[in-house]
Every structure is written in structure tokens, then in C-alpha cells.
Amino acid sequence: MNVIETIKARSSVRTYDKEAKRDYTLLESKIAIINSTTGPFGNQIKVSLVKSTEDSSEMKLGTYGMIKNAEDYLVVTCNQESNVLIDLGYLFEEVILYATSLGLGTVWMAGTFSRKHFKDAIELKQDEILPIVSPVGIKSERKSFVDKYIAKPKTHVRKDFGLLFTDINGTSLEYDKSIDYMQALEMVRLAPSGMNKQPWRVVVDGNNFHFYTFAEKRGVEIDLGIALNHFDKTMNQLGHTGNITITPNDYKDNYMFTWSLEK
């Protein structure tokens, strides 16, 4: 999978072709790998593929009209541990991007679904939480009302590069494709987030990349995990590896974590 091209290709899909043939063999193999993997901060998540049956429907799985014709869903659960939602964002985005590379549509859903319905579908354990679901399937060529009038194209809502990324002196960075970490930051800029708020900010300090949240820390951990995945995987594709740590500093408030280039 070419991470950069896949990130560029990914978009939120809310209307599906329920008649299209779907083969999840490769996706299920990827899910098995993710379910046995830990995130950057040592937490595991569980991704379940809930497939349709003759007596099931999207209405029973309660998406309040936001999703049309979805037959199958990815349901993500985890235990309540420190930094688990960052790990969830990091790990599940890997599933989302892999699905994209297979030609499958998805969309992150954190609020517009009935947790009770999905909890029942996967038999949620008492010590687990269910923060995220995503429909999965083949994108329909016909757009729903939601797609046409509510969901804006991602290019219309992404913030300018220099607003999101600065150097250690607070000077806005200008995008330069010839610099590897700039490409990785651009992939962060393209990352999905709740209501497309892009709550992340990154301060570049030599070989250290300090991630912050522009909003309050509570409620944005998943978004920061997605952003971290895009940065880390893009740097890996470009031949660089890094360490991910939490090393508080005084650059600005709402510090989250640091990606440091391995020498």
C-alpha cells in the first residue's frame, strides 16, 4: 500500500451500493493483524466486522439517517486505559486506509450512531467501551441528501499548511515537497477529524515533532491518533523511523506527544 496515495484517495463515504459484490477476505486478515497489535502507547483495540444478514438493516443498526444502504460495519471497542483513544485512532486509521486501498468506502463515526444497537450486535463486554464505528462497502455513484448538502468536500475544509505547522520560534512553515517531513505534515493536514475541525498543531524542533491540540485535550485524542498515524506511516514510507514519546515541554499549552527521528 502506498500510504501517501492512499491518504490522498481516502474520502468519507456515506452512500453505498448494497447490490455490489463485496469480498472482505483481505480486510479480515488486516483486522486480525491490527487486533493483535499494540498502538504507540501500548494499548490494544478490537475491530469487529459486522456483516449483514437477511433480517438486518442499517436502520436496526441506528445511524440516524446519516448513512444510506450500508450493509456491513466495522465496530471498534477498547478498554479504558491511559492514552487508549490515541492508540485507537492510530490503529483503526490503518484499517481505514487499508480498506481504501482495496477500493472500499468507509467513514469515521463517533456520534451519529446508536451505541445500544451496535453493542448488542457485538455483545460488548462490561469493561469495554465503543467509541467508533464505520460502515464499509462499495461507494454508490448516486449521492444521498447528506452527501450533497451536508458533507462538504474535504478540500474545502482543510486548514492552510502554515496555520497548522510552525517552527520552534512560532513561524508558520511553508510547504516544500522536497523535504520529507513536509510531505508527512501534509498527510497530517489531510487527515479526517471530528467535524473536520483539525484540532492538531505541530511544532517542528529539529528532528523532533511536537504534537498539540488546538482545542481542549478531552475528546480529541482519537483525532490526534489519526494524525499521528499519517505522520508516522508517511515518514516510514519515505525511509525514516521515529520514537513516539510523551515529553512535556513549555512551547505551548495542550501538548500531546512527540515524534522524534531515530538517528
Side-chain angles (χ1 to χ4, degrees):
M1 181 178 69
N2 183 307
V3 174
I4 294 174
E5 294 306 315
T6 304
I7 289 172
K8 291 179 179 179
R10 189 217 63 85
S11 63
S12 297
V13 176
R14 296 174 177 83
T15 308
Y16 292 82
D17 183 351
K18 63 181 179 181
E19 303 300 328
K21 183 178 180 180
R22 304 180 297 279
D23 183 352
Y24 296 130
T25 304
L26 293 176
L27 180 61
E28 289 178 302
S29 294
K30 181 67 172 180
I31 290 171
I33 293 172
I34 291 297
N35 286 347
S36 63
T37 301
T38 57
F41 299 104
N43 296 295
Q44 286 186 292
I45 66 171
K46 181 181 178 181
V47 181
S48 301
L49 175 59
V50 179
K51 298 180 182 179
S52 63
T53 62
E54 290 184 0
D55 61 349
S56 69
S57 70
E58 63 154 330
M59 292 305 295
K60 291 182 179 179
L61 287 177
T63 59
Y64 307 119
M66 297 300 292
I67 304 299
K68 295 298 181 183
N69 298 328
E71 295 286 303
D72 312 308
Y73 284 85
L74 298 168
V75 184
V76 190
T77 59
C78 61
N79 293 322
Q80 299 188 59
E81 304 289 348
S82 177
N83 297 314
V84 68
L85 293 182
I86 299 176
D87 281 337
L88 184 152
Y90 183 98
L91 292 170
F92 190 52
E93 180 65 356
E94 193 160 336
V95 175
I96 292 292
L97 292 177
Y98 188 71
T100 300
S101 74
L102 297 176
L104 297 170
T106 58
V107 58
W108 283 81
M109 299 182 69
T112 53
F113 67 93
S114 169
R115 279 178 168 76
K116 181 183 184 305
H117 292 167
F118 283 95
K119 286 178 180 178
D120 292 343
I122 63 167
E123 299 182 355
L124 188 74
K125 296 178 181 179
Q126 187 173 359
D127 57 348
E128 293 178 326
I129 58 173
L130 197 170
I132 294 290
V133 304
S134 170
V136 61
I138 304 300
K139 178 180 179 180
S140 172
E141 295 304 317
R142 298 181 63 182
K143 291 187 176 181
S144 68
F145 173 85
V146 171
D147 284 316
K148 290 180 179 178
Y149 301 106
I150 299 178
K152 298 178 181 179
K154 67 179 181 179
T155 53
H156 292 179
V157 294
R158 292 302 190 265
K159 292 180 172 61
D160 291 339
F161 191 89
L163 180 62
L164 299 174
F165 314 121
T166 63
D167 65 18
I168 194 64
N169 298 314
T171 303
S172 296
L173 298 177
E174 293 186 11
Y175 179 58
D176 183 346
K177 186 177 180 180
S178 67
I179 301 174
D180 284 353
Y181 76 76
M182 291 279 193
Q183 292 191 62
L185 290 176
E186 175 63 6
M187 296 307 104
V188 170
R189 193 181 75 86
L190 296 179
S193 58
M195 302 298 291
N196 283 318
K197 290 183 177 180
Q198 295 180 269
W200 47 75
R201 300 293 183 270
V202 182
V203 172
V204 179
D205 177 19
N207 291 327
N208 300 306
F209 301 83
H210 306 296
F211 284 71
Y212 302 81
T213 171
F214 183 71
E216 292 297 320
K217 291 183 179 180
R218 183 178 177 83
V220 299
E221 296 97 333
I222 292 176
D223 293 341
L224 269 290
I226 297 171
L228 178 58
N229 175 283
H230 282 207
F231 187 85
D232 187 43
K233 297 303 181 181
T234 301
M235 289 295 278
N236 292 168
Q237 180 173 303
L238 296 172
H240 309 291
T241 56
N243 295 309
I244 301 166
T245 58
I246 296 178
T247 54
N249 54 69
D250 298 325
Y251 297 141
K252 57 168 62 177
D253 295 332
N254 292 329
Y255 166 81
M256 298 294 289
F257 47 77
T258 296
W259 190 100
S260 300
L261 182 69
E262 290 185 354
K263 299 180 180 179

